[in-house]
Each structure stands twice: as C-alpha cells, then as structure tokens.
Amino acid sequence: MATKTATFKAEIKELMNLIAHSMYSDQDVFLRELISNGADALEKMRLKALDDASLYGDEQDLSIYVDMNKEARTITIRDTGIGMSQAEVVEHLGTVAKSGTKALLNELKSANNEEQSSLIGQFGVGFYSAFVVADRVTVKTKKAGEDTATQWESDGVEKYQTETIEKTSRGTEVILHLREEESVNKFLEDWQVRQIITNWSNHLAAPVMMAKTGDDEEGYEQVNDAQALWTMRPKDISDEDYQKFYQMISHDFNDALVYDHKHMQSVNTEFTSLLFVPKKAPMDMYFRDYSKKGLKLYVQRVFIMDEADQFLPSYLRFVKGVIDCEDLPLNVSREILQTNPKTKAIKASITKNILKMLAKLADKQPEDYRSFWSEFGPVMKEGAAQDLANKDVLMPLLRFIDQNDAQLSLSDYVAQMKSGQEKIYYLVSDNPQAAKHSPHIERYASKGYQVLILTDRVDPFLMNTMKEFEGKPFHNVAEKDEAMTDETLEKETEKAQEEHKSDIERVKSVLDTQVSEVRFTSRLVNAPSSIVAGKDALTPHMHRLMKEAGQPVPSFQPILELNPQHALVKRLLAETADVKFEMIAQVLFDQAMMSDGGQVSDPNVFIQSMNELMASQ
Ligand code: ADP
Ligand code: MG
C-alpha cells in the first residue's frame, strides 16, 4: 500500500502543541504513559485469548520491552499485546475521542504553566506525551489474529502518515526519535531509564524488560517487580508505592488525598478494592457525561474493563481505583454487570468504605477534609440528597457556612445552638452576598443564632430531603417560624394590618400581577420589606433555577411583606399624593426583590424613583 497522509483534527494539533510546551518539567511521563498503554494491550490480549487461545499463535510471551539506540537517538517501547488494526490506528492515534476536549483546551489556554500540566495530566494525554521528547514518532503494530500490519508516523505537528508494512510479530512497537536536546539525552542512558521505570511502573501488573547490561551478556531481564499492587499485603506497601500507583492509573501529577486498600469477604462476594480520592476535582466533573468515571475492573487478576461505573454511585464519580473480584465470571460484560446481583453488593460495600474513609479524614485530618470539601462539596451534597441508604453517614460529612462565613458541620451547628434555640436555621439563595445580608436572617442574627447560607445549585434539592439532624428540625428562615414570633409584636402587627387594610389593598393594586399578596410582617428588623414564596410555594430562588433549566414555570408572584415599624413603610402609609405612593410601593417591592438576589423589572424606573424620592425629602 502507498503511504497515506492525513491531517490531525484541529483539536489534536492544539492539544499536542500545548503538551509539548507545558510538560517540560514532567518529561518522564511519556515513558509511564507508553508503558501503561503496553500493559493495557497485554491485558486486552490475555482477556481475548481466554476465548480463543489460537490468538497467541507461536508467541506465548506477554511482556513490554524497552530498548535504546544512542547512535540513532531512539527509544523504543514494544509490547506483545493485542495490537491495532489499520482502522484502529487512525481512530486511536488520529483523533481525540474523549468528551470535553474543547472545554479542556479553553481551560488550558487561560491556565498558567503548572496548572496546564496538571490539567493535561487529568485529561490523560497518553500517547501524545511522546511528542514531549520526540520530534518524530513511528508506530508499528499488528493486531492479534490479523495478517496485515500498519505503520503510523508523525512529527506531531500537522500530519501523520500510515502505510501497510511487513511485521511478523503480534503487538505494537513505538519508536521515539528523540529531539536534539540536552534534556532528553537521559532517555538514552540505561540506568536512568531503569530508574524511571522502577519508579513509575514497579507495580504495574506487566513485566517490563530491558537488555542485560554486562559486556558479554545477552538477552533481556525484567526491571520491575510486576506484582499488581493491590494483590500485595497493605503492610508491605509504602505510601510512596500507593501514590505512584495512583498517579499511574489516574494520570494525575499530584498525590492522592487519601486512599483505602481492603479485601472484603462476605456471603455474597469476595473482592479487593484499592480506592483513591484525588486532591483536585477533575475539571469536567460536572459535565453531563463525565469522561472518566469508574474503576478499573479485574476478575481474579485478569483485567476486564476500564471505567466500570457500576460499582460507584454517581456522586462518587471522582473516586479512582481498582477492584479485583474473585467471583464474577471472566466473560463479564457491562450488560451482565448491570443485572448481576453481585454488582449491587459490591457497590454498596465500596460506597460504605469510601464514606468511612472520608469520615476518618474529617475526624483525623480536618485541614485535608476542608480542602476535600472545597473541591467536592457540591457532589457530596448530591450524594446526601440521593443516597438515602447512607444518609446517616453522609449528613455528618456535609459542611456549611453561616452568615459570618464560618465553616461548620451540622454537629458543630447543634453544639453551638443558643439556649432556647430548637431548630437548625438555613437560607437558600443563589447569591451569597445577598443571602448574608438578607432581611430574612435579621431576627435570627440579632439573637446570635447561626443561619446556614446555602448557595450551591444542589442546595434546594438537598434541603428538600433534610428533615432533622440530631433531633433538631431544619427551618428555612424565609418561611414563617412559630418559634420566633414575639406575641406582642405579632398582635401589634395584626392590629396595624387591620387599620391599614385599604392602604395594603392599594399597594397590591399598584403592584398588580407582580405580587400575589401584600401583608404586614413582624419578622423584619432593619429592612422595610421582603418577599416570600407565593401561593405556588416556589421560592424566588427555585423559580430562577427552574427558569434557567428551561422548565415551564408559572409566572412568578411572591408575597410582599412590609415592616410597619420601618420609617419608609410609615412614610408610604402617610403619603397622600398618588404618584408618590405608587413610587414608594414599587421601590419597596424592587428592594425586596434585589435583596433576595433577584432582579428589578426595570432598573431605570427604579433609579428614577429613588432619585426623585431622595430629592423630594
Ligand atoms: P488511553 O490509554 O487513555 O486510552 P492513549 O492516548 O494512551 O489514551 O491511547 C489511545 C488509544 O490508542 C488507546 O486507548 C488504545 O486503543 C490505543 N493504543 C495506544 N497504545 C497502544 C498499544 N501499545 N497497543 C494497542 N493499542 C494502543
Ligand atoms: Mg494510555
């Protein structure tokens, strides 16, 4: 076949360019990535051959070989794995199929160097990391069971060439033509390369082989331990080993925040899990089809699949790791996993383990837990809203802030409750600033009560499921609170409301359809007015959320509450001129909308009215 030249997809070009320029300090990474691709290919081979042993042909060996050639300035990573067909070469080495590539690129462009390499790592640059050290890469590959072999070659800039070649052995060979640069010379030195391999790939399950070094020695020797880390006893594994393993499977440049390694045995199932919580939330964690969720699944040490997401609830999608199951069938597929009862048992057990690990972190390393919370708080709230079976464990893991920005848990809240306080108070809003100064919390703040300020998107859903904690009920301060009503003030307010019935009706007719009702309230201290949920019981915040989500919402008609003790309300009630009365009524409503974090219907009218009222003092 003649050589075919093709152009990389635009986003790959951009990605490769960024990789080459942002990973100077992490050059070693290419070796880890290419060796791990080799290991994946070996595992796929082993799995396929379970069904069809003839795929091995006359090559039983499953290893990775690393060779250097100083004269030619090449380093070659070769495996006897599954290999790639011609179509697969183009698909896997010519496009980036992962979701979120565009978003990643945008994020990368605005990041500094250090952030860039960590972002790229998260994304898993994989194969393209070869171009960090090489200005030309040649891949020769032959798929197990097929006759034709393919060569792929590129300088990593614009184009790549493919052609059919002669290759007798199964598997893939990646030849890196190293750049003419001082910094990459170390990849031609035997001892340096050995060091990098033992450093990164010691507990990779596949053997990595290098040529023997003695002058008259021939053949290859194994340079890594090649014992899968999770099969070792925890007491034989160092923290460093765990972290290296984490970085290998996650592509993260940081260490994991915490990890958990357990062998679980029950009547239902037996498995080993090695689970890691990253320090940083993946940047695409909130995308609809989050690209890299799930665990690596092994059955009796045989690799079965990546990204097995059946073993984690969706809110724990950031957890990375490996699960090795003793009693699932080797031919297990995603479909079988969906319906296999063991899946459920394993998932429940893993979920409990992760939550236990987090609870321990919160208890023993509060600073680390704080940083965990700042990265993963919203997904943990998702969990508390969804995972009712683990609600009791999840609730103590939640963290909130009060109106003074102090971070606290629900236990902290309850412990700090003032005498006479019976409820856990909270306010849901989409505007943190507005919430902290909301008229709704005035009365609580004046008694020294803490009010939880909830401003995450999931908060309204979370609070719908939160009934009580340690026997204390939750109460939304935007709603009527029997515990806070001051009998005398209440009576006075009712009396005033009766007296000013016609004024109140007049305000209602001025505001017309903007409100469903106008009434006096005794709940406000310094603010003249506030709005509360109307008849449809939708809070203004919920209303905005639904609108943003494109859901059909009834036109928004809150209840306007007026504070009869306030000077501005008194002025309204004393106003005789119609125009002024209408103006003040509208301003009181607009203010209430704004302090709730909403918008005034017409800012210009609002400003004009304010100006006029001030000038007419
Ligand atoms: P990832 O490993 O995260 O999928 P890579 O960029 O490292 O991403 O590799 C892209 C794809 O190319 C792999 O998923 C695999 O299908 C294919 N591939 C890369 N290296 C090899 C190899 N040595 N043998 C077989 N397939 C490979
Ligand atoms: Mg890879």
Side-chain angles (χ1 to χ4, degrees):
M1 177 189 95
T3 308
K4 271 198 264 185
T5 300
T7 308
F8 286 116
K9 285 260 167 65
E11 52 224 36
I12 296 213
K13 277 192 279 183
E14 252 179 282
L15 192 60
M16 286 193 303
N17 197 359
L18 278 162
I19 291 168
H21 291 100
S22 63
M23 294 201 359
Y24 270 121
S25 52
D26 302 292
Q27 285 184 330
D28 298 4
V29 160
F30 86 91
L31 207 49
R32 177 182 96 192
E33 292 295 328
L34 297 181
I35 288 177
S36 110
N37 281 352
D40 291 348
L42 295 176
E43 291 183 316
K44 284 179 198 160
M45 178 64 201
R46 186 176 304 140
L47 184 64
K48 269 223 144 156
L50 285 177
D51 279 344
D52 179 4
S54 74
L55 281 178
Y56 280 120
D58 49 16
E59 174 74 282
Q60 292 291 326
D61 169 53
L62 289 175
S63 313
I64 297 164
Y65 297 84
V66 178
D67 287 289
M68 288 88 74
N69 182 331
K70 274 190 183 170
E71 287 70 49
R73 284 186 71 78
T74 60
I75 177 166
T76 300
I77 294 95
R78 172 166 63 89
D79 65 67
T80 54
I82 187 81
M84 283 177 275
S85 68
Q86 201 139 78
E88 284 168 340
V89 168
V90 172
E91 187 190 334
H92 297 312
L93 308 184
T95 57
V96 176
K98 291 177 184 126
S99 63
T101 311
K102 276 258 150 59
L104 172 89
L105 285 170
N106 288 337
E107 194 117 334
L108 277 174
K109 279 180 212 154
S110 56
N112 66 33
N113 256 7
E114 194 185 323
E115 288 165 352
Q116 276 185 347
S117 64
S118 133
L119 276 170
I120 283 185
Q122 279 184 16
F123 190 71
V125 279
F127 173 78
Y128 299 108
S129 61
F131 292 103
V132 174
V133 294
D135 49 19
R136 188 157 56 94
V137 175
T138 312
V139 178
K140 298 178 178 189
T141 186
K142 183 169 165 209
K143 186 152 180 168
E146 292 191 3
D147 294 328
T148 50
T150 307
Q151 173 168 304
W152 176 101
E153 189 167 77
S154 175
D155 60 4
V157 180
E158 187 85 29
K159 297 182 162 60
Y160 62 89
Q161 287 86 37
T162 48
E163 63 185 291
T164 303
I165 52 161
E166 284 298 317
K167 183 178 188 301
T168 46
S169 55
R170 166 192 87 229
T172 303
E173 193 176 332
V174 182
I175 305 156
L176 284 74
H177 307 269
L178 295 176
R179 294 178 190 281
E180 293 284 348
E181 279 166 23
E182 181 70 34
S183 69
V184 298
N185 289 345
K186 67 173 174 193
F187 302 114
L188 296 169
E189 296 300 333
D190 184 82
W191 67 273
Q192 298 238 35
V193 171
R194 277 173 192 254
Q195 200 172 32
I196 298 169
I197 292 172
T198 41
N199 192 11
W200 286 112
S201 312
N202 205 27
H203 295 294
L204 190 76
V208 180
M209 316 291 287
M210 285 178 72
K212 289 183 180 157
T213 42
D215 275 347
D216 41 37
E217 299 236 40
E218 280 187 18
Y220 285 89
E221 63 190 353
Q222 189 169 328
V223 294
N224 66 339
D225 268 3
Q227 184 181 7
L229 189 73
W230 66 91
T231 62
M232 296 166 58
R233 285 178 306 183
K235 69 181 177 62
D236 296 334
I237 308 175
S238 70
D239 179 55
E240 206 190 341
D241 287 337
Y242 278 121
Q243 296 292 8
K244 288 274 151 59
F245 184 82
Y246 164 71
Q247 297 199 4
M248 183 181 72
I249 61 164
S250 68
H251 308 277
D252 198 341
F253 288 76
N254 291 310
D255 282 352
L257 185 66
V258 267
Y259 49 81
D260 178 66
H261 183 191
K262 274 203 182 65
H263 186 78
M264 305 288 293
Q265 198 165 2
S266 72
V267 277
N268 292 323
T269 180
E270 180 180 355
F271 67 91
T272 301
S273 63
L274 174 52
L275 307 169
F276 299 89
V277 174
K279 281 192 173 142
K280 292 254 170 245
M283 60 115 209
D284 56 356
M285 190 169 65
Y286 297 102
F287 291 177
R288 199 171 292 247
D289 73 67
Y290 171 54
S291 56
K292 284 183 298 181
K293 56 173 179 256
L295 306 173
K296 259 177 178 303
L297 172 66
Y298 290 75
V299 171
Q300 297 169 29
R301 260 72 56 215
V302 177
F303 172 75
I304 306 294
M305 67 180 79
D306 265 319
E307 297 170 17
D309 57 2
Q310 296 82 352
F311 300 104
L312 291 172
S314 96
Y315 69 94
L316 294 177
R317 58 190 176 272
F318 55 85
V319 172
K320 307 263 191 241
V322 170
I323 131 160
D324 192 343
C325 193
E326 296 302 322
D327 43 16
L328 279 170
L330 274 165
N331 64 355
V332 69
S333 64
R334 282 181 202 273
E335 290 67 40
I336 293 176
L337 279 182
Q338 297 280 348
T339 52
N340 192 311
K342 290 201 191 306
T343 308
K344 245 178 132 180
I346 297 172
K347 179 177 177 177
S349 158
I350 286 186
T351 304
K352 287 218 156 42
N353 281 346
I354 295 170
L355 296 180
K356 234 186 257 167
M357 150 166 79
L358 292 173
K360 192 168 147 203
L361 185 74
D363 189 34
K364 298 267 155 39
Q365 292 153 258
E367 271 314 302
D368 285 341
Y369 190 76
R370 202 175 248 281
S371 95
F372 166 78
W373 186 259
S374 72
E375 291 291 319
F376 300 102
V379 269
M380 293 305 288
K381 286 177 174 176
E382 244 177 65
Q386 289 166 358
D387 187 355
L388 303 181
N390 288 302
K391 189 133 186 136
D392 289 351
V393 192
L394 277 157
M395 281 184 42
L397 287 174
L398 299 177
R399 294 293 178 270
F400 299 91
I401 53 156
D402 72 0
Q403 70 269 34
N404 300 315
D405 268 335
Q407 200 187 67
L408 70 172
S409 68
L410 293 173
S411 307
D412 295 337
Y413 187 100
V414 172
Q416 292 162 20
M417 277 166 74
K418 294 279 180 283
S419 80
Q421 183 183 354
E422 288 303 327
K423 302 177 187 173
I424 301 172
Y425 292 107
Y426 69 92
L427 177 63
V428 182
S429 164
D430 48 1
N431 183 329
Q433 232 22 57
K436 281 172 210 156
H437 304 117
S438 163
H440 293 307
I441 64 178
E442 288 180 341
R443 306 214 345 146
Y444 298 93
S446 71
K447 288 191 151 197
Y449 291 6
Q450 287 176 297
V451 177
L452 305 176
I453 305 291
L454 300 170
T455 56
D456 282 329
R457 258 166 181 279
V458 308
D459 285 332
F461 308 101
L462 173 66
M463 296 320 289
N464 268 340
T465 67
M466 303 267 268
K467 298 297 168 245
E468 55 149 56
F469 183 78
E470 291 178 4
K472 310 290 181 201
F474 287 91
H475 187 95
N476 184 344
V477 297
E479 280 159 20
K480 193 169 164 60
D481 183 5
E482 305 297 345
M484 288 296 280
T485 39
D486 169 337
E487 290 286 323
T488 24
L489 192 61
E490 182 90 330
K491 286 246 159 63
E492 254 175 61
T493 309
E494 265 168 37
K495 216 174 104 207
Q497 172 144 316
E498 215 32 58
E499 272 166 29
H500 292 283
K501 208 168 167 212
S502 62
D503 294 313
I504 292 173
E505 273 164 17
R506 209 164 140 215
V507 174
K508 166 70 181 115
S509 75
V510 170
L511 296 175
D512 198 23
T513 57
Q514 298 177 88
V515 294
S516 61
E517 189 189 332
V518 178
R519 65 185 181 211
F520 281 179
T521 182
S522 58
R523 292 192 306 130
L524 300 173
V525 182
N526 295 316
S529 58
S530 79
I531 52 170
V532 294
K535 275 200 289 291
D536 54 9
L538 276 185
T539 63
H541 173 52
M542 271 300 241
H543 200 270
R544 282 195 292 276
L545 276 183
M546 287 172 71
K547 216 162 156 183
E548 268 172 43
Q551 291 182 33
V553 273
S555 68
F556 179 52
Q557 289 192 325
I559 296 169
L560 175 66
E561 293 192 330
L562 299 173
N563 172 5
Q565 313 291 335
H566 196 278
L568 201 54
V569 176
K570 286 184 175 155
R571 180 162 169 208
L572 170 83
L573 300 174
E575 187 56 64
T576 48
D578 280 354
V579 186
K580 281 261 174 69
F581 184 94
E582 286 166 20
M583 217 178 251
I584 300 173
Q586 185 65 45
V587 164
L588 285 170
F589 173 70
D590 285 348
Q591 276 194 12
M593 283 293 280
M594 275 195 283
S595 73
D596 193 69
Q599 276 168 357
V600 298
S601 50
D602 187 338
N604 286 314
V605 170
F606 177 75
I607 291 165
Q608 267 171 27
S609 306
M610 283 297 273
N611 290 348
E612 215 159 302
L613 287 171
M614 285 192 284
S616 73
Q617 240 342 310

